[in-house]
Amino acid sequence: MTDHLATRGEFSRQADIARTLGSPFVAAVLEAGERHLGQAPRTAALIRSWPGDPSAAALAMRFNAAIHALARRGRPQRLESLYRRQHDDFDGAIAAAMASEDAFIAQWMQQPPQTNEVNRAAAILSALMVAGERFGLPFELLELGSSAGLNLNLARYAYDLGGLAAGAPDSPVRIAPTWRGSRPPKTVPEVIVAQGVDLHPLDAADEATRDRLLSFVFADQPLRAERLRHALDLAQHHKPRVTRADAVSWLAEQLAEPQVAGRCRAVFHSMVLQYLDAADRKVAIDLIAAAGSRATPERPLAWISFEWTPNRSEVQLWLTCWPSGEARLLATCHPYGAWIDWRG
């Protein structure tokens, strides 16, 4: 039944989370979408037959982005006017969009989310500051699931980390999460080289890419959208190096490369592991651990993970450093990096 396919309650569950995150508009979109899935049989069939966990696959966020993308295109007009806050008839606007744009929504939802949220760079940089204090070496960065590679430019952004200024002070990309707890160490991570991998890397200079990424930004969070636009503009001048490949094969190749003495190799990822199947997740983690076992004080390895806990109760920032192998929970974080509860 269509009522059951409401992603097993996933839209409603994500609507509750969206409200908690300060996005009542997105919550209302998801709830209306759940009520009117019967208007979109192709989308309904896609959700009903989805092979895996709808939460891990972020189906609700895919749907929300598809609706946002339609509104950005001005179709149908009633949906566009809803997003312009000219009325609040969520049911009428969403139902009309689902009826007329079912094929678009279903096609959009088949592609993986591409948020490339630059606000998460604050957490990654903070972890690099801890590793930098420990090793006193410059970094070579390896990112899994880079999307458009915006977080590979993390050293080019300006940060306010609980009153601690970091990064490039004149950058147009300014990141200032709400900070709780003590500050990270006052070190300046030097990034020698940064490269990443993605199955479907995006080109920051491509207009369709920009539209897709901006569609994944919650419509009632304009500051996020502005920050993303600045990061996309910066990426056109400092093009990130992202390889089209599967993460596991690429990671194996990179970690097999001899490491330059006097550099810390750092593997990082943010909200990526949930999109790997269990076998690939294990292989990736085993590859990192094996590389860690080969690390030396002259060639250390750091692993930075910004991911949901297995039960999706919170997002945790972990740092593991080799050759010691010590793993530290540095912080719990807002999923999009809006706040950081530092424990480091």
Side-chain angles (χ1 to χ4, degrees):
M1 291 178 59
T2 302
D3 286 344
H4 169 70
L5 77 81
T7 58
R8 285 158 265 170
E10 182 62 13
F11 282 18
S12 292
R13 193 182 75 82
Q14 290 293 342
D16 291 341
I17 293 173
R19 280 200 179 85
T20 301
L21 298 178
S23 291
F25 185 93
V26 169
V29 167
L30 292 174
E31 289 166 344
E34 183 164 299
R35 287 191 291 269
H36 298 287
L37 272 169
Q39 299 290 328
R42 292 180 62 172
T43 301
L46 174 73
I47 296 170
R48 185 188 299 112
S49 62
W50 196 265
D53 180 356
S55 295
L59 285 194
M61 294 303 96
R62 298 182 195 216
F63 173 82
N64 175 66
I67 297 298
H68 192 186
L70 286 170
R72 288 170 55 82
R73 288 162 171 76
R75 57 185 229 235
Q77 190 278 328
R78 186 152 185 78
L79 182 70
E80 180 187 28
S81 60
L82 173 69
Y83 275 71
R84 292 182 180 276
R85 310 302 196 272
Q86 294 171 352
H87 66 83
D88 60 0
D89 180 14
F90 284 87
D91 283 290
I94 301 300
M98 296 177 75
S100 64
E101 301 289 350
D102 186 20
F104 176 92
I105 297 168
Q107 181 180 25
W108 180 285
M109 290 182 65
Q110 291 179 56
Q111 301 300 315
Q114 294 275 16
T115 54
N116 212 170
E117 176 54 62
V118 292
N119 223 31
R120 294 172 185 154
I124 305 301
L125 184 83
S126 298
L128 287 174
M129 293 165 80
V130 175
E133 181 184 53
R134 177 166 187 159
F135 296 123
L137 297 174
F139 291 94
E140 55 180 57
L141 303 183
L142 303 174
E143 184 186 20
L144 306 182
S146 296
S147 187
L150 302 185
N151 285 332
L152 290 170
N153 277 335
L154 58 82
R156 303 183 187 278
Y157 302 156
Y159 303 87
D160 178 348
L161 307 174
L164 174 64
D170 296 331
S171 175
V173 182
R174 313 196 71 80
I175 303 174
T178 299
W179 195 275
R180 298 192 280 266
S182 59
R183 300 171 182 171
K186 192 174 182 179
T187 59
V188 181
E190 180 186 359
V191 176
I192 299 292
V193 62
Q195 56 180 318
V197 64
D198 201 279
L199 273 175
H200 306 285
L202 301 179
D203 180 1
D206 178 65
E207 196 58 40
T209 289
R210 296 171 70 91
D211 178 66
R212 183 167 183 81
L213 288 172
L214 286 163
S215 294
F216 271 99
V217 176
F218 287 180
D220 50 0
Q221 296 184 357
L223 292 180
R224 271 183 71 198
E226 180 182 14
R227 187 184 303 114
L228 175 58
R229 289 189 187 94
H230 285 309
L232 287 166
D233 291 342
L234 189 148
Q236 294 184 54
H237 300 287
H238 302 282
K239 186 175 177 60
R241 181 179 166 189
V242 183
T243 298
R244 182 185 298 273
D246 73 273
V248 172
S249 299
W250 180 86
L251 181 63
E253 292 175 2
Q254 297 303 316
L255 293 179
E257 285 289 318
Q259 185 172 336
V260 177
R263 290 187 189 177
C264 178
R265 180 173 282 171
V267 179
F268 75 94
H269 48 84
S270 56
M271 298 307 212
V272 168
L273 293 187
Q274 69 192 61
Y275 300 114
L276 301 180
D277 62 33
D280 281 347
R281 268 198 307 275
K282 184 179 186 306
V283 172
I285 292 169
D286 288 347
L287 283 169
I288 296 170
S293 71
R294 302 189 296 269
T296 67
E298 296 76 26
R299 296 175 174 85
L301 177 71
W303 174 23
I304 300 167
S305 172
F306 180 105
E307 301 285 348
W308 284 107
T309 54
N311 65 358
R312 300 181 69 82
S313 61
E314 64 182 8
V315 175
Q316 295 182 341
L317 175 69
W318 282 87
L319 170 66
T320 307
C321 292
W322 286 274
S324 72
E326 178 190 4
R328 297 172 61 185
L329 174 60
L330 295 182
T332 55
C333 306
H334 181 283
Y336 297 113
W339 53 260
I340 295 175
D341 188 352
W342 187 256
R343 306 180 184 181

